Amino acid sequence: MKLKSLVPQSGFLLVLRFLALVLWSFPGARTLDNGLAMTPTMGWLHWERFMCNTDCQGEPDSCISEKLFMQMAELMESDGWKDVGYEYLCIDDCWMAPKRDSKGRLQADPKRFPSGIRGLADYVHSKGLKLGIYADVGNKTCAGFPGSFGHYDIDAKTFADWGVDLLKFDGCYCDSVEHLEKGYKHMSLALNRTGRSIVYSCEWPLYMWPFRKPNYTEIRQYCNHWRNFEDVYDSWQSVKSILAWTSSNQKRIVDVAGPGGWNDPDMLVIGNFGLSWDQQVTQMALWAIMAAPLLMSNDLRHISPQAKALLQNKDVIAINQDPLGKQGYRLRKEDNIEVWERPLSDLAWAVAMVNLQEIGGPRFHTISIASLGQGLACIPDCMITQLLPEKRELGFYQWTSDLKTKINPTGTVLLQLAAT
């Protein structure tokens, strides 16, 4: 009698899996119609590591100059970064001259960028990479250089003429919420009118939150990705605060993300100074779960083999770049253990278990397989592979099984559950 009863139950469970696939495949909110960022943007951005260092005489190897970006471009091509998907080399603030030119156009600092942005773009393109640049919706950039307010159309045309492929558009020195919203919309339309494919990275919701809740459905119609929270720092406290904000606001932000438009929790600081190895694993794993843009901010000239291997981990990058395009979310938190999950293509799931406890040694955590993937991840069974902190096959698990893992303090175990 028991064997007979399993047949209809198994068939019912398989139907549930099929329905889950159909539901997850529904498109999200309407997106910016430029055909870009169909998976999260990957690349390198200078800000967290190099900030606004303009002292090229005193610090020639770390100032914001064409030399720095050319060196990074060379390494992105030669050291395997481009091959695994890191495609955009992005300039942040402090590249500009203090004033616009006689025709009202932005211009690069002539001493630090003697070839101009057009020359730098040509060099970056010759390496098979794309160039990103920075501007601001307000009267000045955050560092005090010329802003784009009142110049949106000419700035968009200038960027296109230079061969720019991505614009990070900040929100400093804007005198009203109305100007902020109109400015972000105006620049989006201006970029599209140039006819050049330029990824549009916004900070619109970050600057909206102090005044009112952002309209993410509207933001997605104008931006390819958008910052929600404060800048990342090279510290565990900073990474923790970003994860805490994301999980506490996930009901508002998760569903709006998808191909063409992504929530941006800011740069990867892996390979720098402030994170332990386990904390670097946590950032990489959770940025993959969150379908976040993977924009490194580090010094590729001086990066450890261990950090490089983590950032170039093809299995983790595949989760981040999964074509289903669904952002993951925190499933539960109990006793300083968080469980995050993300639906993937082909009925697979990614699961991350994070140990937030900062005292003591590794902790064991047992989880019911039936509780994962909205109860559908392993029906009737699945193959589970641990991807981080190191890769190993854990084997086949049935829907009724439990899984026990060991997680280091501030570390993460990243799993992939594949349908069989």
Side-chain angles (χ1 to χ4, degrees), residues 165-359:
D165 305 291
L166 179 150
L167 172 64
K168 176 181 175 180
F169 209 40
D170 215 335
C172 286
Y173 295 102
C174 198
D175 58 8
S176 71
V177 171
E178 289 70 29
H179 284 163
L180 183 83
E181 290 185 309
K182 289 180 180 179
Y184 273 106
K185 294 176 183 178
H186 193 148
M187 182 56 87
S188 178
L189 298 173
L191 291 172
N192 271 4
R193 281 195 296 268
T194 69
R196 182 169 181 82
S197 296
I198 301 177
V199 172
Y200 188 36
S201 174
C202 301
E203 308 218 350
W204 180 353
L206 169 63
Y207 289 90
M208 282 292 295
W209 272 107
F211 303 100
R212 61 172 179 259
K213 293 179 179 178
N215 181 343
Y216 282 100
T217 302
E218 182 177 52
I219 289 168
R220 180 177 167 83
Q221 293 173 13
Y222 290 93
C223 303
N224 290 120
H225 33 92
W226 47 87
R227 285 274 309 285
N228 296 306
F229 191 60
E230 62 191 31
D231 288 2
V232 69
Y233 282 64
D234 187 14
S235 77
W236 175 235
Q237 181 60 42
S238 175
V239 172
K240 273 198 310 181
S241 67
I242 291 170
L243 295 176
W245 187 94
T246 301
S247 59
S248 64
N249 290 278
Q250 62 186 17
K251 290 183 179 179
R252 178 175 292 273
I253 68 171
V254 165
D255 288 343
V256 76
W262 311 96
N263 291 294
D264 181 3
D266 210 8
M267 296 161 278
L268 292 167
V269 293
I270 296 164
N272 289 325
F273 307 97
L275 300 184
S276 71
W277 170 245
D278 287 296
Q279 292 159 5
Q280 292 178 75
V281 168
T282 293
Q283 190 185 29
M284 190 69 184
L286 270 296
W287 264 235
I289 291 284
M290 293 187 293
L294 299 183
L295 295 172
M296 307 177 289
S297 191
N298 49 25
D299 190 341
L300 300 180
R301 299 167 299 187
H302 308 288
I303 188 167
S304 71
Q306 190 180 39
K308 180 181 177 183
L310 176 61
L311 287 163
Q312 293 189 1
N313 187 306
K314 293 181 180 180
D315 293 316
V316 182
I317 290 172
I319 289 174
N320 175 266
Q321 297 286 296
D322 186 81
L324 184 62
K326 295 292 183 181
Q327 181 174 333
Y329 49 85
R330 191 180 73 182
L331 178 64
R332 69 170 68 90
K333 179 179 181 179
E334 55 186 11
D335 194 24
N336 274 326
I337 298 286
E338 291 188 345
V339 179
W340 294 64
E341 64 180 15
R342 178 183 175 184
L344 305 173
S345 303
D346 300 321
L347 296 174
W349 286 78
V351 175
M353 286 172 279
V354 189
N355 178 6
L356 293 176
Q357 189 160 294
E358 299 181 28
I359 189 172

Side-chain angles (χ1 to χ4, degrees), residues 24 30 44 55 202 270 306 337 363 413:
W24 284 120
R30 180 182 166 200
W44 185 92
D55 182 12
C202 301
I270 296 164
Q306 190 180 39
I337 298 286
R363 300 177 65 198
V413 171

